[in-house]
DNA sequence: AAGAGATCGAACCGATCGGTACGACCTGAG
DNA sequence: CTCAGGTCGTACCGATCGGTTCGATCTCTT
């Protein structure tokens, strides 16, 4: 197993450099990566453990030894996903230079690239929280939004906003709202429209005057 | 059955004016109303038909005769929910007078009252679409967003926005984003913050100048 | 009084669920 | 070579799922 010829599986272990075929840590990472995609595509409760193991390419015993429970796997998947997405957005902002407006625009440009992917199915954290009425999942989702908020608050503060945390909350709504609209209505240009709105809010907050 | 003493049930048939206790249409309406609450609280797949019947207060045979299938019940529930919410928001806007800004503010004020309810658990349509990967549900959700968009486009047009449909899409993102933030992060003042952002966008779009 | 129909409650069905157990295989370490 | 252990494939478990069936009960209509 863990070789590379199959059609109905994700071949994430391809770059294995030969040798040490049985490496528990690598097996765990491969399960995590493949399960992330499958669970995102099908929904947490939309696929059973048996079929999930087939798609991932491991036996049930292996999956259960590494993650103990389906909920344990879901928890690990969501944590990894939250980390990855947050780092990806922060990197996009950082790569845009020092101008806070440019950084904010870069965040939405990154989101638009995500929306345009054929596999895009909305925010995995929100989908999970909407399905699984488990406290652990809801807590992870809230923490995920906290991380977004932290990123946006930094941008708002550097832009000289009068109320950085208030503004960042509005920007967070644009981020999540754009994701919802892209997932459930029309992904074309969703983040681009949200970007324009975000920049309008940013400039209005940085140059306080009449806004309400 | 359909009398009024139970503790773990929703007593929606109380205003029955005596007589004609067995009225299929009324039974169907009662199931629909109670199932709407229970499915919203527990999630579409979070409760089985057996327990759902107990909570609703009907037998399985009755439920299946009226709705044929659990999916049939879900479909009917979501359609009714979409109608109700849309009409409720439109009424809130209409009651605010003729000023488009006042109408927009009234929409968000209504949303804030919703977020403040203890039973608030996010947008039922989005939750359903995130859970049930069935085309019928996703279609209903898209239509639901279309209705929101129609309401917001009317307001944007009456406000004299340069690009009413573009603005209304941004406003829709604020509506949905505020709902997401309220459901998964913090409901306090979510719609109020979104309202301020919406009015900023509205005035910027109605009085075009530098906005990006 | 009698029949039609709506409802109940409980038993029942096959399918699927999450999770466990076991024998066989293979690999790397000593 | 031998052994420990990661993995596979399959069978299996009890629970729950959506859905069906049936006899008893109740109400309205005629």
């Amino acid at each position: 197993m863990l070789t590379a010829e199959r059609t109905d599986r994700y071949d994430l272990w391809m770059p294995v450099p030969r040798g040490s075929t049985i490496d528990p840590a690598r097996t765990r990472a491969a399960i995590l990566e493949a399960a992330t995609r499958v669970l995102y595509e099908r929904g947490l409760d939309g696929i059973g453990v048996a079929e999930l193991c087939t798609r991932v390419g491991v036996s049930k015993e292996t999956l259960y030894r590494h993650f103990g429970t389906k909920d344990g796997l879901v928890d690990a998947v969501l944590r990894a996903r939250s980390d990855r997405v947050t780092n990806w957005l922060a990197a996009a902002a950082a790569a845009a230079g020092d101008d806070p407006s440019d950084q904010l625009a870069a965040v939405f440009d990154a989101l638009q690239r995500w929306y345009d992917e054929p596999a895009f199915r909305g925010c995995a954290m929100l989908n999970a929280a909407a399905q699984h009425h488990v406290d652990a999942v809801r807590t992870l989702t809230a923490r995920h939004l906290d991380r977004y908020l932290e990123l946006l608050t930094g941008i708002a503060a550097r832009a000289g906003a009068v109320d950085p945390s208030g503004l960042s909350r509005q920007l967070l709504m644009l981020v999540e709202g754009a994701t919802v609209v892209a997932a459930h209505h029309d992904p074309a240009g969703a983040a681009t429209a949200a970007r324009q709105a975000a920049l309008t809010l940013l400039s209005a907050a940085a140059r306080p005057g009449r806004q309400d």
Side-chain angles (χ1 to χ4, degrees), chain A:
Chain A
M1 195 42 55
L2 295 192
T3 52
E5 58 284 0
R6 283 300 185 87
T7 56
D8 57 338
R9 296 183 178 175
Y10 295 107
D11 41 4
L12 303 150
W13 39 73
M14 275 178 47
V16 171
R18 301 309 303 152
S20 103
T21 304
I22 294 184
D23 178 346
R26 194 178 300 270
T27 300
R28 188 191 146 98
I31 295 174
L32 202 57
E33 177 96 15
T36 296
R37 306 195 194 184
V38 176
L39 289 175
Y40 178 58
E41 173 189 344
R42 298 277 296 269
L44 301 187
D45 294 328
I47 187 172
V49 174
E51 186 185 352
L52 190 135
C53 286
T54 301
R55 296 281 296 267
V56 169
V58 296
S59 67
K60 293 178 77 173
E61 180 166 0
T62 298
L63 186 144
Y64 275 103
R65 179 151 28 78
H66 280 292
F67 297 96
T69 284
K70 189 185 183 184
D71 282 342
L73 172 64
V74 166
D75 189 87
V77 161
L78 293 181
R79 288 179 188 275
R81 177 103 186 184
S82 174
D83 293 349
R84 249 194 53 203
V85 173
T86 303
N87 291 336
W88 166 68
L89 273 188
D98 291 335
D99 187 327
S101 297
D102 290 344
Q103 292 177 350
L104 186 59
V107 166
F108 284 95
D109 289 341
L111 287 175
Q112 185 63 58
R113 288 195 298 275
W114 181 32
Y115 301 163
D116 289 334
E117 291 177 12
F120 173 71
R121 271 166 182 77
C123 173
M125 307 298 299
L126 295 188
N127 291 348
Q131 296 166 40
H132 243 271
H133 278 209
V134 182
D135 270 349
V137 174
R138 296 188 55 83
T139 302
L140 281 181
T141 301
R143 202 190 62 177
H144 184 67
L145 295 186
D146 265 331
R147 292 171 162 183
Y148 276 16
L149 212 46
E150 189 180 359
L151 171 65
L152 295 170
T153 302
I155 294 177
R158 286 193 295 278
V162 178
D163 177 11
S165 73
L167 173 61
S168 69
R169 198 167 182 226
Q170 297 173 329
L171 296 177
L172 175 63
M173 292 175 186
L174 282 175
V175 168
E176 295 300 331
T179 304
V180 164
V181 169
H184 300 289
H185 196 260
D186 183 10
T192 306
R195 173 184 125 143
Q196 182 200 340
L199 291 176
T200 300
L201 293 181
L202 184 69
S203 76
R207 169 184 29 78
R210 57 176 313 284
Q211 63 190 18
D212 183 5

